């Protein structure tokens, strides 16, 4: 009898908490969730030398964060550093680091800890794309894609998560991709790396939650193509539903998601609907939708980033 009462009690507690969480989520759809203050937080951004990384640095500079900028390109990273200082950053530091090299990540991470302090917001943004069909892609390029887009996340987490755990304070940000949600023709290696990055970040969210490390937040970002030059030449058949995103818009939404401590951010919002459809529609219907949206041909005109003269 007592065990039945205990089971009933657990069920009512579960239902009550579930109802509250749903109502809370609905409330924050109607009103903006409070934003946290990141002034003085040490924000590390990988791939800060250009594109999203540079724009993220500028946004966090305006918010009063301490910036740690990593990029493999020293010259480009120094340009980002200068731009961040002009945007208002009072403390900003640039480090040359190839995030695909584990030992280099650990070495530069130790340098950051000694010279700047413990990183409290880690943004894994660095990424590359080969843009080649699977059988046409050399093995070394596929390995590089996985090393930069996924494995680097393992090494940066290993380097900076222990301090977050010790302080029960931190924020882990994964810049994945819509290609980390749905396979794309001509992006097999890229999709593999972005699916892996998504799965790893989500698993680490669950791991920190299970260990009651509630002060450590996670945000996973999955945007469609962004006009940063990385996917130069790519097109969309449905610009209304699946527009190629403006970098400034994407960065604004990413920073907003971090400040509001959202777990998932898909851009554009149509991706949420696509994922819902993917969960129950027959495969053949899904293929018809993909064909209608032009997903099979988005990479046909791919030229990739323009090389500087």
């Amino acid at each position: 009898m007592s065990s039945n009462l205990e089971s009933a009690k657990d069920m009512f507690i579960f239902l009550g908490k579930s109802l509250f969480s749903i109502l809370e989520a609905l409330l924050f759809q109607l009103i903006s969730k409070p934003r946290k203050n990141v002034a003085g937080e040490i924000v590390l951004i990988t791939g800060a030398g250009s594109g999203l990384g540079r724009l993220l640095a500028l946004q966090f500079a305006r918010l009063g964060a301490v910036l740690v900028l990593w990029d493999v390109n020293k010259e480009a990273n120094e340009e980002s550093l200068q731009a961040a200082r002009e945007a208002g950053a009072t403390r900003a530091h640039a480090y040359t680091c190839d995030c695909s090299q584990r030992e280099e990540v650990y070495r530069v991470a130790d340098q950051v800890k000694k010279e700047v302090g413990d990183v409290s917001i880690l943004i894994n943004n660095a990424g590359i794309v080969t843009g080649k069909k699977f059988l046409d892609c050399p093995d070394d390029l596929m390995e590089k894609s996985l090393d930069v887009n996924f494995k680097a996340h393992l090494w940066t987490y290993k380097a900076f998560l222990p301090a977050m755990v010790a302080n029960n304070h931190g924020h882990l940000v994964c810049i994945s991709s819509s290609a980390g949600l749905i396979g794309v023709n001509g992006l097999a290696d890229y999709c593999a790396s972005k699916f892996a990055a998504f799965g790893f970040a989500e698993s680490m969210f669950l791991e920190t939650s299970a260990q009651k490390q509630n002060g450590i937040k996670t945000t996973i970002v999955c945007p469609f193509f962004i006009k940063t030059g990385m996917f130069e030449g790519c097109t969309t058949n449905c610009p209304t539903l699946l527009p190629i995103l403006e970098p400034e818009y994407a960065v604004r939404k990413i920073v907003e998601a971090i400040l509001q401590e959202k777990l998932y951010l898909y851009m554009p919002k149509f991706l949420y609907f696509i994922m819902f459809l993917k969960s129950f529609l027959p495969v053949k219907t899904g293929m018809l939708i993909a064909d209608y949206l032009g997903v099979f041909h988005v990479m046909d005109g791919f030229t990739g980033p323009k090389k500087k003269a």
Side-chain angles (χ1 to χ4, degrees), residues 112-183:
V112 169
K113 292 173 200 174
K114 291 172 185 174
E115 297 175 0
V116 186
D118 292 327
V119 169
S120 52
I121 300 178
L122 171 63
I123 304 178
N124 277 305
N125 165 73
I128 62 170
V129 60
T130 64
K132 296 180 181 293
K133 293 283 196 293
F134 177 70
L135 292 179
D136 297 330
C137 188
D139 293 355
D140 61 324
L141 284 185
M142 283 193 285
E143 288 178 342
K144 189 72 172 179
S145 185
L146 287 164
D147 287 343
V148 174
N149 298 348
F150 164 55
K151 288 185 181 179
H153 298 209
L154 305 179
W155 319 141
T156 55
Y157 270 55
K158 272 284 183 74
F160 298 113
L161 183 58
M164 295 185 188
V165 171
N167 299 322
N168 192 29
H169 176 74
H171 202 136
L172 303 162
V173 182
C174 167
I175 307 297
S176 182
S177 169
S178 58
L181 300 170
I182 302 168

Side-chain angles (χ1 to χ4, degrees), residues 17 26 34 49-50 52 61 63 66 80 129 132 150 154 165-166 177-178 197 206 228 237 266 280 296 300 307:
K17 287 183 176 179
L26 289 173
S50 62
L52 279 190
L63 292 169
V66 178
S80 293
V129 60
K132 296 180 181 293
F150 164 55
L154 305 179
V165 171
S177 169
S178 58
L206 293 171
T228 59
N237 269 15
Y266 300 168
F280 70 90
F296 297 142
D300 287 0
K307 295 182 179 179

Side-chain angles (χ1 to χ4, degrees), residues 279-296:
S279 68
F280 70 90
L281 283 180
V283 172
K284 187 176 287 187
T285 309
M287 296 287 279
L288 288 169
I289 293 172
D291 188 34
Y292 174 74
L293 294 174
V295 174
F296 297 142

Side-chain angles (χ1 to χ4, degrees), residues 7-309:
S7 296
K9 177 185 172 184
D10 290 344
M11 175 63 76
F12 280 117
I13 291 173
F14 162 71
L15 291 174
K17 287 183 176 179
S18 297
L19 179 60
F20 177 79
S21 66
I22 292 169
L23 291 174
E24 183 183 45
L26 289 173
L27 177 64
F28 286 133
Q29 289 297 316
L30 299 174
I31 61 172
S32 294
K33 192 174 181 181
R35 299 182 179 190
K36 67 181 178 183
N37 183 7
V38 294
E41 299 281 359
I42 299 177
V43 180
L44 189 151
I45 305 168
T46 67
S50 62
L52 279 190
R54 179 174 292 180
L55 292 174
L56 284 167
L58 297 181
Q59 286 282 0
F60 278 102
R62 297 182 186 110
L63 292 169
V66 178
L67 296 178
V68 178
L69 310 180
W70 282 16
D71 201 280
V72 69
N73 186 324
K74 183 177 180 179
E75 183 182 347
N77 207 28
E78 289 292 338
E79 290 174 3
S80 293
L81 178 65
Q82 183 60 35
R85 286 174 174 163
E86 290 172 1
T90 55
R91 291 182 61 197
H93 311 263
Y95 294 86
T96 303
C97 183
D98 182 350
C99 293
S100 69
Q101 301 299 314
R102 180 183 58 192
E103 294 305 322
E104 188 168 338
V105 168
Y106 291 161
R107 176 182 60 77
V108 180
D110 285 340
Q111 192 178 348
V112 169
K113 292 173 200 174
K114 291 172 185 174
E115 297 175 0
V116 186
D118 292 327
V119 169
S120 52
I121 300 178
L122 171 63
I123 304 178
N124 277 305
N125 165 73
I128 62 170
V129 60
T130 64
K132 296 180 181 293
K133 293 283 196 293
F134 177 70
L135 292 179
D136 297 330
C137 188
D139 293 355
D140 61 324
L141 284 185
M142 283 193 285
E143 288 178 342
K144 189 72 172 179
S145 185
L146 287 164
D147 287 343
V148 174
N149 298 348
F150 164 55
K151 288 185 181 179
H153 298 209
L154 305 179
W155 319 141
T156 55
Y157 270 55
K158 272 284 183 74
F160 298 113
L161 183 58
M164 295 185 188
V165 171
N167 299 322
N168 192 29
H169 176 74
H171 202 136
L172 303 162
V173 182
C174 167
I175 307 297
S176 182
S177 169
S178 58
L181 300 170
I182 302 168
V184 181
N185 174 38
L187 280 177
D189 59 313
Y190 185 79
C191 287
S193 67
K194 291 299 186 177
F195 267 85
F198 185 108
F200 172 66
E202 191 173 59
S203 295
M204 288 306 301
F205 161 72
L206 293 171
E207 188 170 307
T208 53
S209 297
Q211 294 175 14
K212 307 300 182 185
Q213 293 157 355
N214 298 322
I216 301 174
K217 309 302 179 182
T218 294
T219 297
I220 305 171
V221 182
C222 296
F224 189 57
F225 297 146
I226 303 173
K227 295 178 186 176
T228 59
M230 188 173 180
F231 284 93
E232 192 70 33
C234 293
T235 57
T236 173
N237 269 15
C238 294
T240 304
L241 298 176
L242 278 178
I244 296 179
L245 304 169
E246 294 294 336
E248 293 77 12
Y249 167 81
V251 167
R252 189 168 66 250
K253 299 300 287 185
I254 291 168
V255 172
E256 184 179 283
I258 294 170
L259 298 182
Q260 295 181 336
E261 297 180 341
K262 290 182 179 178
L263 178 57
Y264 302 109
L265 172 65
Y266 300 168
M267 297 182 285
K269 287 186 176 181
F270 184 64
L271 287 176
Y272 292 100
F273 184 58
I274 287 290
M275 293 306 294
F276 172 66
L277 294 179
K278 184 185 177 185
S279 68
F280 70 90
L281 283 180
V283 172
K284 187 176 287 187
T285 309
M287 296 287 279
L288 288 169
I289 293 172
D291 188 34
Y292 174 74
L293 294 174
V295 174
F296 297 142
H297 302 289
V298 292
M299 293 294 292
D300 287 0
F302 174 81
T303 57
K306 294 177 181 177
K307 295 182 179 179
K308 291 183 180 179

